[in-house]
Amino acid sequence: MLRTATRQDLPAVLALLADEEKVVDPASVVVGAAYEKAFADITGDPRNEILVLVDGDTVVGCLQATYIPGLGKHGAERALIEAVRIRPDRRSGGLGRELMERTAERARQRGCALVQLTSGKHRADAHRFYTSLGFAASHEGFKLAL
Amino acid sequence: MLRTATRQDLPAVLALLADEEKVVDPASVVVGAAYEKAFADITGDPRNEILVLVDGDTVVGCLQATYIPGLGKHGAERALIEAVRIRPDRRSGGLGRELMERTAERARQRGCALVQLTSGKHRADAHRFYTSLGFAASHEGFKLAL
């Protein structure tokens, strides 16, 4: 099931973000003040949300969606996806596809014209995955640390 | 000078967005209801703004900045830049650099950890420009039309 994250999900989400390669026990995660504030900022913003894919009581995947109003596309929003994660011990079973397809459907229902994301250049597996979902690798993604 | 766009700037901004190759007279732009709404959505959102670079009474450049809260980077926002335009008859004079540098400084002062953007794969000149500003082409940019 895909749903918006609640404060109770925050340790599990931070556990997914903390290590992409091995499972981190959510019970071991200390939620610092900066993350409390960031979570409140995200969930309190009508154009941002953290979505979690859950299997029973377990958060098996997450991402952040930002809905961006714009002057292109006849004023339709676009959805930017960041921080896509699937629990390391639950990969290769279609959960990533389920997470992304449900998120795209949610964006479509909201009226978004486009879903966009960037993925690190070296992540060939991720690129194949996004391409298989119908995404086009049409752009270069630039970042500038401040 | 870089400043946030007001409703009076909207025809000039839409003129820049309408045609990247030739100058469109802002006085010829009819602002439809969808664009009125989109502009109000953007300027009414504390995490979105349209910035214009102005020379006297002329809008010579524009972009949209979206400030995205996140759980990475110790809770710092990141700035996403979209719809960067310089008036076709005012290019190659450093205005693009001024627009981007002032925007990055604005994001830094706001507390953003990162500026990010994507640029179409075929736009080699734009890629050289962003690289010259210190951006790294570290990511693939994926888009899915809905």
Side-chain angles (χ1 to χ4, degrees):
Chain A
M1 187 181 75
L2 185 76
R3 60 170 172 75
T4 55
T6 66
R7 172 62 185 80
Q8 282 190 305
D9 300 312
L10 182 53
V13 170
L14 291 174
L16 290 179
L17 296 175
D19 195 322
E20 293 193 45
E21 299 311 321
K22 51 182 201 292
V23 175
V24 174
D25 180 0
S28 73
V29 172
V30 178
V31 179
Y35 293 109
E36 289 283 7
K37 178 178 184 310
F39 186 79
D41 284 347
I42 296 165
T43 56
D45 185 325
R47 290 200 175 93
N48 276 278
E49 59 189 3
I50 294 172
L51 298 175
V52 288
L53 190 66
V54 294
D55 180 7
D57 290 339
T58 306
V59 174
V60 295
C62 68
L63 56 75
Q64 180 174 344
T66 303
Y67 304 104
I68 303 174
L71 291 172
K73 302 179 189 306
H74 299 283
E77 286 179 333
R78 61 178 69 201
L80 173 74
I81 306 297
E82 298 269 357
V84 180
R85 296 290 189 281
I86 296 292
R87 238 179 96 107
D89 59 348
R90 299 294 298 273
R91 290 190 190 147
S92 305
L95 293 175
R97 179 168 297 270
E98 183 180 348
L99 173 62
M100 292 301 298
E101 286 179 347
R102 288 184 192 269
T103 298
E105 179 56 29
R106 187 177 176 88
R108 189 182 292 114
Q109 287 185 8
R110 189 182 162 107
C112 292
L114 188 81
V115 179
Q116 66 184 55
L117 59 87
T118 66
S119 177
K121 285 273 188 194
H122 61 291
R123 309 197 60 170
D125 287 356
H127 301 173
R128 274 191 294 275
F129 169 64
Y130 292 123
T131 302
S132 79
L133 287 166
F135 282 82
S138 54
H139 285 64
E140 291 288 321
F142 290 88
K143 312 256 177 184
L144 173 70
L146 295 179
Chain B
M1 187 181 73
L2 185 77
R3 60 170 172 75
T4 54
T6 66
R7 172 63 185 79
Q8 283 191 306
D9 300 312
L10 182 54
V13 170
L14 290 174
L16 291 179
L17 295 174
D19 196 321
E20 294 193 45
E21 300 311 320
K22 49 180 202 293
V23 174
V24 174
D25 180 0
S28 74
V29 172
V30 178
V31 179
Y35 293 109
E36 289 282 5
K37 179 179 183 310
F39 187 78
D41 285 347
I42 295 165
T43 56
D45 186 323
R47 291 199 174 93
N48 275 279
E49 58 189 5
I50 294 173
L51 298 175
V52 287
L53 190 66
V54 295
D55 180 8
D57 290 337
T58 305
V59 173
V60 294
C62 69
L63 56 75
Q64 180 174 344
T66 304
Y67 304 103
I68 303 174
L71 291 172
K73 302 179 187 308
H74 299 282
E77 285 180 333
R78 62 178 67 201
L80 173 74
I81 306 298
E82 297 268 358
V84 180
R85 295 290 188 283
I86 296 292
R87 236 178 97 108
D89 60 348
R90 298 293 298 274
R91 291 193 189 144
S92 306
L95 292 175
R97 179 168 296 271
E98 183 180 347
L99 173 61
M100 292 301 297
E101 286 179 347
R102 287 184 192 270
T103 298
E105 179 55 28
R106 186 177 177 89
R108 189 182 291 113
Q109 287 184 8
R110 188 182 163 107
C112 293
L114 188 79
V115 179
Q116 67 185 55
L117 59 87
T118 66
S119 178
K121 285 272 188 195
H122 60 290
R123 309 196 60 171
D125 287 357
H127 302 173
R128 274 191 294 275
F129 168 64
Y130 292 123
T131 302
S132 79
L133 288 167
F135 282 82
S138 55
H139 286 62
E140 290 289 320
F142 290 88
K143 312 255 176 185
L144 174 70
L146 294 179

